[in-house]
Amino acid sequence: AGGLAFVPNAYFAMRLTPAVHLGVGLNAPFGMKTEYDPAWKGRTHAIESELKTVNLNPAIAWKASESLSVGAGLNLQYAEAALSNSANGAGIATVRGDDFGWGYNLGLLWQPSASTRVGLAYRSAVEYTLAGDVSFSVFTPANGGVTAKATLPDSASLSVFHKLGPKWDVLADVTWTGWSDFRELRIVRNGGATLASTPQNWSDSHRYSVGANYHLNEKLTLRGGVAFDETPTSDAYRTARIPDADRTWVALGTQYRVSSKIRLDFGYAHLFVKRASINKEEASQINPLPAAPTPVTLTGVYKGSVDILSAQMTLNF
């Protein structure tokens, strides 16, 4: 059910005064996609499930003292979602919708010594009312406008950097994400009738990571780290749309300083995803027909992994 994805990022920062910096970031804070063969056994549960987000993040930072800096930013986000499944006699049901939302982020950086930094960051939740339409490939009279409310969660991170000496740095991080806002996936027709409702009952999750930098010479730095990333879903509520499970990250990277103004970074991460069981009885998830279709029980085990390749250029001018 997996596939390839390209996730671009871009950032710009400038000094306004000796104590004030301005910046802007463009990134994709959330995203997922699963896509099954339209004829697979669980087609009434899910065929395609996709979420894309784009975040524009203007920010300002103030150096309050030699040891303390604070920052704040505005998150202007666009979200686009698509869901499809077999609706039996109604054909393939496809729901598409999008919306704009906004939130904020706050940050604090404390440097108690020349070799140690402690960072604290918070990113607010963003609420959406995705508006779009539902279409059925066979029973077209049921086509029409729909909405779905969604909240992308808030998160908080505490991180520590410590320089052991001229060659070694160590780093650690813990991140909390408020996924418990995701209680159900409900799709509502413009007239107010519920078209589909699937309980999710996600829980808040944590990610724990440690890493190290090794400065081989003045131009080359080698990096590595591991992380444990909890899933917000559970065996009781796992669905074919998001068959998630706990993940263990192993990552390697390098930075090459081309000159005093240009740095190149490369990274690779492999995610070992814990096997995830599913035992879900569900009728066609999105179905317009008045007669309730016979539920289909989907039972099995998901085995998955993720590989991430990254490259970055930093230019100072």
Side-chain angles (χ1 to χ4, degrees), residues 79-305:
E80 180 181 277
L83 303 173
S84 70
N85 59 257
S86 171
N88 295 320
I92 301 297
T94 302
V95 172
R96 299 188 186 277
D98 61 0
D99 190 22
F100 290 91
W102 69 276
Y104 63 91
N105 58 289
L106 305 171
L108 179 148
L109 184 65
W110 177 48
Q111 188 163 353
S113 69
S115 59
T116 304
R117 298 193 299 269
V118 180
L120 182 63
Y122 174 77
R123 190 172 294 274
S124 74
V126 178
E127 296 183 351
Y128 293 98
T129 300
L130 301 165
D133 57 73
V134 59
S135 62
F136 298 90
S137 61
V138 175
F139 190 59
T140 56
N143 296 355
V146 294
T147 60
K149 291 187 177 181
T151 299
L152 293 180
D154 54 346
S155 62
S157 297
L158 175 66
S159 58
V160 178
F161 170 94
H162 181 69
K163 194 170 189 64
L164 292 176
K167 291 289 187 179
W168 285 97
D169 311 321
V170 292
L171 310 91
D173 168 275
V174 58
T175 297
W176 165 88
T177 304
W179 281 115
S180 57
D181 290 336
F182 190 28
R183 310 308 298 171
E184 68 171 345
L185 176 61
R186 180 179 293 271
I187 302 169
V188 180
R189 288 191 180 275
N190 287 353
T194 296
L195 175 63
S197 177
T198 304
Q200 302 292 332
N201 293 321
W202 281 18
S203 303
D204 295 348
S205 63
H206 295 83
R207 191 188 76 166
Y208 311 90
S209 67
V210 293
N213 296 328
Y214 177 68
H215 303 281
L216 187 64
N217 53 49
E218 292 183 356
K219 287 187 172 292
L220 188 63
T221 297
L222 305 179
R223 293 172 169 156
V226 296
F228 177 71
D229 199 358
E230 295 177 340
T231 180
T233 192
S234 63
D235 290 349
Y237 292 99
R238 183 173 290 109
T239 69
R241 293 201 184 279
I242 313 176
D244 194 36
D246 292 342
R247 299 165 294 275
T248 299
W249 295 58
V250 177
L252 299 172
T254 184
Q255 181 183 89
Y256 181 71
R257 288 168 286 279
V258 180
S259 68
S260 60
K261 294 186 176 182
I262 299 176
R263 297 195 305 272
L264 300 177
D265 289 88
F266 302 94
Y268 167 72
H270 181 80
L271 280 62
F272 299 88
V273 183
K274 183 180 178 181
R275 291 191 176 196
S277 62
I278 187 169
N279 186 9
K280 190 80 171 176
E281 182 182 80
E282 189 170 52
S284 179
Q285 192 179 83
I286 304 169
N287 196 306
L289 301 179
T294 303
V296 173
T297 300
L298 184 63
T299 303
V301 176
Y302 279 92
K303 295 183 290 183
S305 63

Side-chain angles (χ1 to χ4, degrees), residues 2 27 45 66 81 99 131 156 198 251-252 263 289 292 295 308 313-314:
N27 54 33
H45 290 237
E66 288 302 314
D99 190 22
T198 304
L252 299 172
R263 297 195 305 272
L289 301 179
I308 302 172
M313 183 178 74
T314 304

Side-chain angles (χ1 to χ4, degrees), residues 1 5 7 10-11 23 28 33 47 60 78 87 101-102 115-116 122 132 167 180 204 234 288 307 310-311 316:
V7 186
Y11 302 91
K33 183 175 182 179
I47 295 176
I60 184 170
Y78 170 76
W102 69 276
S115 59
T116 304
Y122 174 77
K167 291 289 187 179
S180 57
D204 295 348
S234 63
D307 292 288
S310 61
N316 297 301

